[in-house]
């Protein structure tokens, strides 16, 4: 337990440094953007003198380090800036969009884990038989299929040809849970398939390795029921897939940005697209920074879970 606490504290201590690095990277990259904030804020009719006055008043002519320090100060006070007219606090826009992206990512993660366990365990239990071959084909196909292409295909088949699900849009679960589920089912499934396919291959490999161990053969030879053996083996076999789960959650977060655009969901993806197409540096900066920090937090949480469930770490 002492080892676990020491490693956990080390992970948590690195977080502020990594967040600082993320803010520096996002800030520097967007400062070299060709977009002129003064032009976007004042519009086409603004004179050169008015744009120069705007730049001076907002510190746009200051050296880059000065602007970065000022940016950090704004972040610490919870200020992510304002959008271009109509002016709105970026933080307010994110507070509305982020819950939807979290819902989509969480639902996609649940679907991915269930599919990965079903495919991986089936492949391992029926090793080298036709169910195993089938799960391998499905896993390879799932990895090869891009989420956006699968999303378009799902809309065509299940929203246009057979109108079981809506083509897009979002229903708040507070208004209708069934409506929310119908609006999120297709995008979450499209998001989950590539992740489920890659995880299924890891689960199968880990399960096969664990099933070949001596203690499993002994348990099987002593007449322990097969389903009890598989259930006992599964816990040890999931340690390896858990190590890559954090990266896969990051994929789900980034993939949600594209999927939200395809299914017209007002999440972080649509905010980024709105910021990019409208030349809104503050909006792009705020949304990218939020997603990057969320990705970092999820990875740290998964690392801590891995340390917690790995018996070799706990006994060092």
């Amino acid at each position: 337990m002492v080892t676990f606490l020491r490693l956990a504290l080390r992970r948590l201590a690195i977080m502020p440094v990594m967040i600082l690095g993320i803010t520096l990277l996002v800030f520097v990259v967007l400062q070299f953007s060709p977009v002129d904030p003064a032009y976007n804020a004042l519009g086409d009719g603004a004179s050169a003198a008015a744009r120069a006055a705007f730049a001076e008043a907002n510190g746009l002519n200051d050296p880059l380090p000065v602007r970065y320090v000022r940016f950090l100060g704004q972040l610490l006070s919870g200020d992510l800036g304002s959008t271009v007219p109509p002016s709105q606090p970026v933080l307010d826009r994110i507070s509305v969009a982020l819950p939807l992206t979290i819902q989509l990512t969480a639902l996609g993660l649940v679907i991915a884990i269930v599919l990965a366990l079903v495919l991986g365990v089936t492949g391992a239990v029926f090793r080298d038989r036709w169910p195993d071959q089938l799960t391998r084909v499905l896993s390879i196909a799932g990895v090869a299929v891009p989420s956006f292409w699968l999303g378009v295909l799902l809309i065509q088949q299940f929203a246009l040809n057979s109108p079981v699900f809506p083509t897009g849009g979002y229903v708040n679960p507070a208004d209708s849970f069934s409506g929310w589920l119908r609006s999120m089912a297709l995008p979450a499934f499209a998001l989950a398939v590539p992740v489920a396919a890659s995880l299924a291959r890891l689960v199968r490999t880990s399960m096969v390795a664990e099933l070949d161990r001596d203690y499993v053969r002994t348990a099987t030879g002593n007449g322990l029921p097969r389903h009890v053996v598989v259930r006992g083996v599964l816990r040890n076999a999931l340690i390896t897939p858990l190590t890559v789960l954090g990266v896969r959650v990051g994929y789900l977060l980034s993939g949600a940005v594209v999927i939200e655009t395809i299914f017209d969901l007002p999440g972080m993806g649509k905010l980024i697209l709105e910021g990019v197409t409208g030349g809104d540096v503050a909006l792009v900066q705020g949304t990218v920074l939020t997603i990057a920090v969320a990705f970092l937090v999820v990875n740290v949480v998964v690392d801590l879970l891995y340390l917690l469930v790995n018996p070799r770490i706990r006994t060092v």
Side-chain angles (χ1 to χ4, degrees), residues 93 97 101 256-257 260-277 283 287:
R93 300 289 308 276
T101 300
V257 171
E260 285 171 2
T261 305
I262 294 174
F263 286 89
D264 193 27
L265 296 172
M268 297 293 283
K270 287 204 71 174
L271 271 192
I272 292 178
L273 185 64
E274 178 185 331
V276 171
T277 55
L283 188 58
T287 50

Side-chain angles (χ1 to χ4, degrees), residues 162-225:
S162 303
V164 180
F165 298 98
T167 56
Y170 174 70
V171 177
N172 194 311
D175 298 330
S176 170
F177 181 76
S178 61
W180 172 81
L181 199 58
R182 290 181 70 238
S183 69
M184 299 291 277
L186 293 186
F189 185 78
L191 192 62
V193 165
V195 176
S198 60
L199 280 178
R201 300 176 70 181
L202 286 175
V203 171
R204 179 197 176 277
T205 302
S206 297
M207 281 285 292
V208 167
E210 203 67 26
L211 287 170
D212 285 341
R213 293 187 182 277
D214 292 339
Y215 79 92
V216 177
R217 292 176 179 168
T218 302
T220 305
N222 289 332
L224 201 64

